[in-house]
Amino acid sequence: MKHFVSVDNLDETKVLELIKRAQYFKNGGQINLTRAVYCVNMFFEDSTRTHTSFEMAERKLGLNVLSFDPKQSSVNKGETLYDTLLTMDALGVDLAVIRHSENEYYQELITPSADKTLDIGILNGGDGSGQHPSQCLLDLLTIYEEFGEFAGLKIAIVGDITNSRVAKSNMELLHRLGAKLFFSGPEYWYSEAFERYGEYRPLDELVAEIDVLMLLRVQHERHQGDQNELVFSPQKYHQEFGLTKERYQKLKADAIIMHPGPINRDVEFASELVESKKSRFKAQMQNGVFMRMAMLEQVLKGRGLGGENK
């Protein structure tokens, strides 16, 4: 593929291929490049995990990583995202990993009109409340390593679902792979549109029967104008929708807990449980590097820049 911007077109075969390649890299696998490859990470929203993880993945693949700080770029002079990418293309950059606050910011970049010449591989590091393909796929790698399959698994996605691009990517792909999905959390952060993927139920009804508890971060920065934000209580949220010690004890023996980070400790997740036996929070971050290597390899292959085994 020449770009990797969503999970929309991934079928089970492709997902398993990506997982196997990520495991190949996790076991120390490398690739050949046809020439020196240059990439840039353009993050217009704050990020620690995704930004650093992509850079680690790029360096492990032997790519040349260029620095980019949006606060010191011509974006602040009013330059469009397209024109910034056109500059990168002209300078010889082959790939750009982008996080942006606008949903589907990438459409103009991957399907430019006939009068435009932009030709640079785009990987979506998260777009608004739209998609977060790399987080979705690293989550799937983490689940696969635990259970070896997706069909029939009972997975609960809990919390700020409406504002979560992680939730949307995961519900779409996990449903396609045969997992049985449940949703829980504040009803004001839930939409009937999600009913096509699963069932909304109170968290306490779900805890004892699910295989995967997927907690979401409460995204306060996306709640501007939301009247519920004005009366939000971290303590009340934790008691009603968070993973408390009591709920942890009710989980199945082989159940796992996931969270995309950053964690609001003692809100979504009791602080003392973040690194507990059933938590896969750290494993998710570790797997992120290897899954992003697999995603980068797909784009490198699609653009004739490498990807074969050494």
Side-chain angles (χ1 to χ4, degrees):
M1 58 181 71
K2 299 196 75 172
H3 309 282
F4 205 136
V5 296
S6 82
V7 299
D8 284 348
N9 298 316
L10 300 183
D11 59 18
E12 184 173 5
T13 299
K14 194 66 180 177
V15 170
L16 291 176
E17 178 189 340
L18 284 160
I19 287 174
K20 297 301 181 187
R21 289 306 290 170
Q23 291 178 320
Y24 166 76
F25 291 122
K26 193 171 184 174
N27 290 323
Q30 281 295 322
I31 61 171
N32 284 323
L33 300 174
T34 58
R35 61 167 173 78
V37 176
Y38 295 88
C39 62
V40 62
N41 300 313
M42 302 170 66
F43 278 63
F44 296 92
E45 290 185 331
D46 296 338
S47 171
T48 300
R49 273 155 293 277
T50 305
H51 193 168
T52 311
S53 181
F54 260 114
E55 183 161 341
M56 181 63 82
E58 291 154 357
R59 292 185 185 279
K60 280 179 173 282
L61 288 173
L63 311 187
N64 298 290
V65 184
L66 278 67
S67 61
F68 176 83
D69 182 356
K71 294 176 182 175
Q72 298 181 356
S73 74
S74 291
V75 171
N76 290 324
K77 299 177 182 176
E79 185 173 64
T80 66
L81 179 60
Y82 180 89
D83 282 344
T84 302
L85 264 295
L86 190 63
T87 300
M88 297 295 170
D89 183 13
L91 295 177
V93 175
D94 301 291
L95 309 177
V97 179
I98 303 174
R99 170 171 288 190
H100 202 278
S101 60
E102 291 183 18
N103 286 19
E104 299 189 16
Y105 69 82
Y106 47 78
Q107 289 297 351
E108 184 189 18
L109 309 178
I110 65 174
T111 55
S113 54
D115 60 331
K116 294 182 176 177
T117 60
L118 182 66
D119 183 21
I120 187 169
I122 304 296
L123 290 98
N124 181 14
D127 60 297
S129 61
Q131 288 249 343
H132 197 339
S134 64
Q135 180 69 45
C136 174
L137 288 164
L138 75 87
D139 285 347
L140 264 61
L141 170 60
T142 306
I143 294 170
Y144 184 84
E145 287 186 333
E146 205 72 37
F147 300 100
E149 59 184 353
F150 301 100
L153 288 179
K154 293 183 176 180
I155 299 175
I157 302 176
V158 180
D160 190 356
I161 304 172
T162 301
N163 295 295
S164 174
R165 53 196 171 209
V166 176
K168 288 164 189 163
S169 297
N170 280 356
M171 71 175 74
E172 179 182 331
L173 197 47
L174 285 167
H175 179 263
R176 196 180 307 152
L177 296 175
K180 185 174 178 59
L181 298 182
F182 300 95
F183 303 106
S184 195
E187 291 189 44
Y188 49 81
W189 287 332
Y190 180 76
S191 167
E192 291 182 358
F194 305 144
E195 290 178 359
R196 61 185 294 196
Y197 301 109
E199 176 186 355
Y200 179 91
R201 285 172 54 185
L203 180 57
D204 286 320
E205 289 184 10
L206 293 171
V207 171
E209 58 182 274
I210 54 176
D211 301 295
V212 180
L213 176 59
M214 194 174 288
L215 304 169
L216 301 174
R217 183 173 69 90
V218 178
Q219 301 189 72
H220 295 291
E221 73 276 14
R222 298 189 190 280
H223 296 165
Q224 293 181 3
D226 184 343
Q227 293 301 307
N228 298 295
E229 181 71 10
L230 300 176
V231 296
F232 182 83
S233 162
Q235 296 80 15
K236 187 170 186 288
Y237 181 94
H238 184 61
Q239 287 304 313
E240 293 186 14
F241 309 112
L243 182 66
T244 61
K245 287 183 284 187
E246 292 74 20
R247 291 191 178 108
Y248 182 88
Q249 296 299 328
K250 293 177 182 176
L251 288 166
K252 291 164 59 175
D254 61 347
I256 63 170
I257 308 156
M258 302 175 72
H259 191 299
I263 292 172
N264 292 308
R265 286 176 179 260
D266 296 320
V267 181
E268 304 101 41
F269 214 143
S271 187
E272 63 266 43
L273 298 177
V274 170
E275 297 169 74
S276 60
K277 184 178 178 182
K278 293 186 171 94
S279 172
R280 296 297 178 270
F281 177 59
K282 190 173 180 180
Q284 287 173 268
M285 293 187 285
Q286 292 168 332
N287 281 338
V289 173
F290 306 112
M291 179 51 77
R292 288 175 175 118
M293 291 174 77
M295 295 171 66
L296 285 159
E297 182 191 35
Q298 291 294 311
V299 180
L300 290 170
K301 282 182 176 179
R303 305 183 78 81
L305 296 172
E308 297 301 317
N309 300 354
K310 275 185 175 177

